[in-house]
């Protein structure tokens, strides 16, 4: 069983910063990609940023230059540093991880429960 757990959400003023963390655990052989997605009220879930095991990254246009995704492969952690936050960044942020399980080497993809980020004065 593989799971990911997010942490670090909260209330922040416009222009402020937050750092989200995602911890993966369970029967993991390898994690290929880790990503952050978000879902704002009344909207569909959207990609925010993704990072591969080799460190390649991809960002949504709306967060380029403001958000930075990183990961620590040894700790099975991913992070999302969010700077210059705007009201429109308010959403539930979800961590996603895909890779291979250690018991049967089958592909897995898991989602966390989400962490709420609210940007408001």
């Amino acid at each position: 069983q593989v799971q990911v757990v997010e942490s670090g959400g909260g209330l922040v003023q416009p222009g402020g910063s937050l750092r989200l963390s995602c911890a993966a655990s369970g029967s993991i052989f390898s994690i290929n990609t880790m990503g952050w997605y978000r879902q704002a009220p009344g909207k569909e879930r959207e990609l925010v940023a993704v990072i591969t095991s080799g460190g390649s990254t991809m960002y949504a246009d709306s967060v380029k230059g403001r958000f930075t995704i990183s990961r620590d492969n040894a700790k099975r952690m991913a992070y999302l540093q969010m700077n210059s936050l705007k009201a429109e960044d308010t959403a539930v942020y979800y961590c996603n991880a895909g890779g291979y399980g250690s018991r049967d080497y089958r592909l897995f993809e898991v989602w966390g429960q989400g962490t709420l980020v609210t940007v408001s004065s």
Side-chain angles (χ1 to χ4, degrees):
Q1 196 80 358
V2 178
Q3 64 175 2
V4 292
V5 178
E6 307 96 336
S7 61
L11 173 65
V12 62
Q13 291 187 342
S17 297
L18 275 178
R19 188 191 194 211
L20 305 182
S21 298
C22 171
S25 63
S27 302
I28 299 170
F29 176 73
S30 65
I31 302 176
N32 298 338
T33 60
M34 298 188 79
W36 290 95
Y37 294 72
R38 67 186 181 187
Q39 187 167 17
K43 295 187 177 182
E44 294 186 353
R45 190 174 298 187
E46 63 177 1
L47 171 71
V48 176
V50 174
I51 185 167
T52 68
S53 57
S56 297
T57 59
M58 182 177 68
Y59 295 91
D61 287 344
S62 59
V63 307
K64 283 181 181 177
R66 300 188 298 123
F67 291 10
T68 302
I69 188 170
S70 61
R71 64 188 281 178
D72 184 327
N73 291 330
K75 294 182 179 179
R76 296 174 177 173
M77 296 284 296
Y79 308 95
L80 186 68
Q81 178 66 44
M82 305 184 293
N83 299 327
S84 303
L85 282 160
K86 306 175 182 180
E88 50 263 44
D89 294 318
T90 295
V92 177
Y93 284 71
Y94 297 91
C95 179
N96 172 275
Y100 291 90
S102 60
R103 292 183 178 178
D104 52 13
Y105 302 103
R106 296 183 66 177
L107 280 170
F108 69 80
E109 182 182 15
V110 293
W111 292 88
Q113 293 296 311
T115 185
L116 177 63
V117 173
T118 303
V119 184
S120 176
S121 56

